[in-house]
Amino acid sequence: MKVADLYVRVSTDEQADKGYSQRDQEERLRRYCEINSITVHKVIFEDHSAKSFERPAWNKLLAEIKRTRGKRNLILFTKWDRFSRNAGDAYMMISLLRKLGIEPQAVEQPLDLTIPENKMMLAFYLAAPEVENDRRALNTFYGMRRAKKEGRWM
């Protein structure tokens, strides 16, 4: 029997406006579970950045998983960028979860990680959001630098 925790995360108001609202994510995850006969153990709501796993709700969930091994065997989220925007940290967390008997899975970007070629897709799904964050940070830096040179107040 499959039992899952549903992980729902947003980090900005903009994400809520573009269809990544917590309610929307929860509905999609619950629908997936219903279609696939997966029992929902718990829904975890998070509103922190995915640049690291230093997130209050995530840390609480991880502690509970360690304390109550065997109560669930899946953590579901809509897309891999809801799980992490840091590829290195994500690989370490996936490894830890699998050691604890938990399979992380993005319902809209499903991957069977027992198939070696799917690891390339996982790399793409994890790296793309990190690259996007890095590009946005650079654009912000250069925009602020330019504004300062033009005498504008920040």
Side-chain angles (χ1 to χ4, degrees):
M1 175 192 221
K2 293 183 179 180
V3 178
D5 285 333
L6 309 182
Y7 184 70
V8 175
R9 187 192 67 77
V10 295
S11 60
T12 66
D13 293 336
E14 178 187 1
Q15 288 174 340
D17 294 341
K18 288 187 176 179
Y20 289 109
S21 75
Q22 289 183 330
R23 201 170 339 150
D24 181 61
Q25 288 180 56
E26 182 184 6
E27 283 175 22
R28 289 190 226 178
L29 292 167
R30 285 190 182 277
R31 194 172 327 119
Y32 177 87
C33 289
E34 189 177 314
I35 290 167
N36 292 285
S37 301
I38 298 170
T39 302
V40 175
H41 176 259
K42 190 175 192 176
V43 181
I44 297 89
F45 295 96
E46 185 86 78
D47 62 354
H48 277 70
S49 169
K51 290 179 185 176
S52 80
F53 280 96
E54 291 303 314
R55 305 176 221 155
W58 181 264
N59 289 332
K60 189 175 174 183
L61 171 64
L62 198 55
E64 182 182 328
I65 287 170
K66 290 176 181 177
R67 211 176 42 251
T68 61
R69 286 179 91 159
K71 276 203 169 186
R72 82 274 286 153
N73 47 23
L74 290 167
I75 292 181
L76 300 176
F77 35 88
T78 53
K79 295 183 178 183
W80 285 100
D81 69 347
R82 302 296 89 208
F83 177 67
S84 180
R85 289 181 160 262
N86 180 316
D89 286 355
Y91 281 119
M92 288 180 13
M93 186 57 67
I94 290 168
S95 177
L96 173 62
L97 289 170
R98 292 178 97 188
K99 286 177 186 170
L100 294 169
I102 308 289
E103 192 64 36
Q105 190 59 250
V107 300
E108 294 178 12
Q109 297 169 324
L111 293 173
D112 178 352
L113 297 178
T114 62
I115 300 170
E117 291 79 11
N118 281 348
K119 291 177 182 176
M120 285 192 301
M121 283 306 300
L122 177 62
F124 175 78
Y125 287 145
L126 293 174
E130 184 175 1
V131 169
E132 179 185 358
N133 276 358
D134 292 349
R135 172 51 50 204
R136 193 172 299 147
L138 271 177
N139 289 347
T140 301
F141 171 78
Y142 287 124
M144 291 172 68
R145 189 172 166 194
R146 176 125 188 125
K148 190 174 179 182
K149 280 183 179 179
E150 293 172 357
R152 288 187 275 152
W153 187 78
M154 312 279 234

